[in-house]
Amino acid sequence: MSKSFPSPFRPIDSLKLTFNHIKIWYTAGMGFFTDAYDLLVIGYILATIEDSYKYAGIVMPGFTSYLVGPDKDFWNGLLASIALWAAILGQIVFGFLGDYWGRKKVYGVEATLLTIGAFLSALSPNLIWLIIFRFLMGVGIGGDYPISATIMSEYANVRDRGKLTALVFSNQALGSLAAAAVGIISAVAFPPCIAWRVMAGFGAIPAATVIYLRRKVPETPRYSLLAKGNVEEAKKAASFLGGDIDIQKPVLAKRMSLSEILSKYGTLLIGTAIPWFILDIAFYGTGLYSSPIIAPIFGSPFPKSATVLTLSEFQGDLAYALFLGAVPFLVGFPGYFTAVALLDKLGRKVIQIQGFTMMAIIYLLVSAVMIVTYTAKGPKVSGFLIPAEAAFLLYALSFFFIDFGPNTTTFVIPAEVYPVRFRTTGHGISAASGKLGAAITTYLFPTLLNSMGIKNLLVMLAVVSIIGALLTFFFVPETKNKSLEEIAKEELVTPTTTAKQ
């Protein structure tokens, strides 16, 4: 026998924004602060170690010989990308465990790994240990994606779910600002051998502040009821928000086999995973390797001739170089919060499509105004058809639309569209797809820059951005103003009743 019955979560779905919603946002968001902080700061660390040797003759035992030696490309690539490869592992493993054991049982473990990894990175005796500790940190960063996103979406009310989940991710904006500030201040205030350690260790602080809070967050009402069938635990979790759930008897989400999941949600997985893969190719590629565009405009702060700088001269030049590298990320800063403000009004799908579209337009425009000179070392940007400052602002504007677009929405959507028993797994797979794009980009872009040049690379990024917009249009549903059970078409069962939401 079967019948339809209303969602038991309507009382918490219809709540107004509460203080505990904000508390969960803070608790969930600090891992993403460190994620963005690390994206910038690893480039700062590499620049500090390498440039201190190149321009000031400073040798750091256990590090310099690897990063400027005959195998420098291998060690630079490995150090820059190891946290990304580790994050893929963390996203998949914690995504699976979050559905298998529950969100609460694993929540806080990822922040602990992240904190320990970042702290020990600052104490690394040599490059090998730095790589090992950054791997540990990367596992923690990866694990944070599916668990924090899902906890926020499952606790959020329908009206504010988009902005709350996006606010969790928007801590990346604060992490970028902190990385720029800590990197520049450290470069000026400390000798290079200390400066890079300060940069590495600071990332541990935000995550450390929320470990205790994460362990105290109750299991989400949805997982408690629909995966565990525990009515009392679900009611207790709802009371944490000042609400309740409208049910007295256990109700469970229907268990599905892997083949059933793939049959029902396989095309959706394409829509959440591949656009994230495409987004991170553009985000990491244009972020980490923006110097071919920045250098012709602002020039290099370091001397072109073989000159050994004094320590104070080097520190000033290094600080300026780090600032230039951070500028595109800082321009993108308002994009996060524009997305937060409009996500529940315009919708996730519209924002993701317009973001990809604007990225493609900007990449094509910047490529069109570039003047490229072909040298023995490959194609180089020698100037622009428009004022260089205008070209740079146009290029930097792409970061605004990355953040007011797929960088935010690819994080939010997977936390909404999958059923409760597959939600963290689906998010983890989607996030891992993104980090795979980031890791591949970190390895391949230096080679592609030398062979293709930045002009052709931007054309390529425009093409993949258009593909991202098309995939979003065809494979991603709109989720605004709908309950999670309605979006995922969650099948609910009782011992005597089967119902479809």
Side-chain angles (χ1 to χ4, degrees):
M1 179 180 178
S2 67
K3 68 175 184 177
S4 177
F5 55 90
S7 168
F9 304 108
R10 286 183 180 176
I12 59 174
D13 279 345
S14 59
L15 281 175
K16 293 183 178 180
L17 197 63
T18 69
F19 172 77
N20 279 337
H21 282 123
I22 304 303
K23 184 178 179 181
I24 294 172
W25 158 72
Y26 170 77
T27 303
M30 284 300 101
F32 297 97
F33 180 104
T34 301
D35 182 28
Y37 178 89
D38 178 69
L39 168 63
L40 260 182
V41 93
I42 185 56
Y44 287 4
I45 290 171
L46 283 166
T48 301
I49 296 173
E50 294 174 15
D51 290 343
S52 64
Y53 173 78
K54 184 176 181 180
Y55 297 107
I58 298 172
V59 175
M60 300 183 199
F63 297 91
T64 303
S65 59
Y66 289 101
L67 296 177
V68 303
D71 298 320
K72 62 180 182 179
D73 290 341
F74 168 79
W75 291 111
N76 273 270
L78 183 60
L79 180 58
S81 66
I82 191 64
L84 299 174
W85 294 108
I88 295 171
L89 175 65
Q91 285 158 338
I92 292 174
V93 170
F94 277 84
F96 171 77
L97 294 177
D99 284 330
Y100 187 75
W101 283 344
R103 290 58 159 139
K104 178 176 174 56
K105 282 190 177 181
V106 296
Y107 206 39
V109 175
E110 73 301 312
T112 303
L113 292 174
L114 196 163
T115 301
I116 293 172
F119 177 74
L120 292 179
S121 292
L123 303 178
S124 301
N126 55 51
L127 189 74
I128 303 301
W129 279 107
L130 178 58
I131 290 170
I132 292 171
F133 293 143
R134 284 184 56 78
F135 181 88
L136 181 65
M137 182 188 71
V139 172
I141 287 175
D144 202 33
Y145 273 73
I147 307 300
S148 287
T150 298
I151 282 179
M152 189 72 259
S153 73
E154 290 184 347
Y155 265 112
N157 57 334
V158 168
R159 181 180 178 182
D160 299 304
R161 189 180 61 239
K163 71 167 65 74
L164 284 170
T165 310
L167 272 171
V168 169
F169 192 69
S170 70
N171 278 275
Q172 284 201 343
L174 304 178
S176 297
L177 281 181
V182 172
I184 293 167
I185 292 170
S186 298
V188 174
F190 303 106
C193 59
I194 301 297
W196 78 261
R197 295 182 184 275
V198 174
M199 297 176 200
F202 184 86
I205 297 174
T209 66
V210 297
I211 294 173
Y212 175 78
L213 293 175
R214 289 188 174 192
R215 298 306 300 159
K216 290 297 182 181
V217 170
E219 183 58 87
T220 70
R222 287 177 158 87
Y223 190 87
S224 296
L225 182 65
L226 301 184
K228 298 170 68 176
N230 191 328
V231 175
E232 290 306 311
E233 185 179 72
K235 285 180 171 290
K236 180 181 177 182
S239 69
F240 177 72
L241 296 174
D244 198 0
I245 58 170
D246 188 17
I247 200 163
Q248 301 301 322
K249 296 180 180 180
V251 178
L252 292 171
K254 179 185 175 183
R255 290 186 179 275
M256 290 185 286
S257 66
L258 179 60
S259 61
E260 287 178 305
I261 291 172
L262 292 177
S263 174
K264 188 172 182 179
Y265 299 101
T267 55
L268 186 58
L269 201 56
I270 294 173
T272 59
I274 299 181
W276 204 337
F277 176 85
I278 290 171
L279 173 273
D280 273 3
I281 288 177
F283 183 55
Y284 281 75
T286 57
L288 293 178
Y289 301 106
S290 57
S291 59
I293 293 177
I294 294 176
I297 299 171
F298 296 102
S300 173
F302 296 109
K304 294 182 179 179
S305 58
T307 304
V308 177
L309 301 173
T310 65
L311 180 59
S312 61
E313 289 173 334
F314 171 73
Q315 288 175 305
D317 288 351
L318 177 64
Y320 182 55
L322 299 184
F323 169 75
L324 292 180
V327 167
F329 293 96
L330 301 181
V331 172
F333 181 90
Y336 286 100
F337 299 100
T338 305
V340 167
L342 296 177
L343 211 58
D344 290 309
K345 297 177 181 178
L346 297 180
R348 291 66 153 152
K349 186 170 184 174
V350 169
I351 290 176
Q352 185 158 307
I353 290 173
Q354 69 82 29
F356 272 128
T357 303
M358 290 304 300
M359 287 161 58
I361 292 171
I362 291 171
Y363 294 148
L364 288 174
L365 287 175
V366 175
S367 175
V369 300
M370 280 182 175
I371 299 172
V372 175
T373 302
Y374 291 89
T375 68
K377 294 183 179 181
K380 302 293 181 184
V381 178
S382 57
F384 300 91
L385 298 175
I386 60 176
E389 293 78 8
F392 173 73
L393 288 176
L394 183 62
Y395 171 75
L397 189 62
S398 69
F399 284 79
F400 173 84
F401 286 103
I402 284 174
D403 296 331
F404 175 44
N407 194 32
T408 300
T409 53
T410 53
F411 176 81
V412 173
I413 293 168
E416 300 178 309
V417 295
Y418 294 108
V420 68
R421 293 186 186 273
F422 187 70
R423 188 164 290 136
T424 58
T425 302
H427 196 286
I429 292 171
S430 302
S433 176
K435 288 300 187 200
L436 179 62
I440 291 173
T441 297
T442 303
Y443 261 117
L444 290 184
F445 259 52
T447 302
L448 293 176
L449 274 173
N450 289 330
S451 60
M452 295 174 58
I454 187 68
K455 185 182 181 79
N456 291 327
L457 269 180
L458 287 174
V459 173
M460 182 192 77
L461 290 178
V463 172
V464 298
S465 296
I466 292 169
I467 293 172
L470 291 173
L471 288 172
T472 302
F473 180 81
F474 287 109
F475 293 106
V476 176
E478 182 51 67
T479 61
K480 72 171 182 175
N481 297 327
K482 297 178 182 178
S483 72
L484 294 179
E485 291 69 41
E486 180 184 358
I487 297 165
K489 298 180 174 61
E490 190 84 71
E491 295 184 51
L492 306 182
V493 299
T494 68
T496 58
T497 304
T498 301
K500 192 175 287 188
Q501 284 289 105

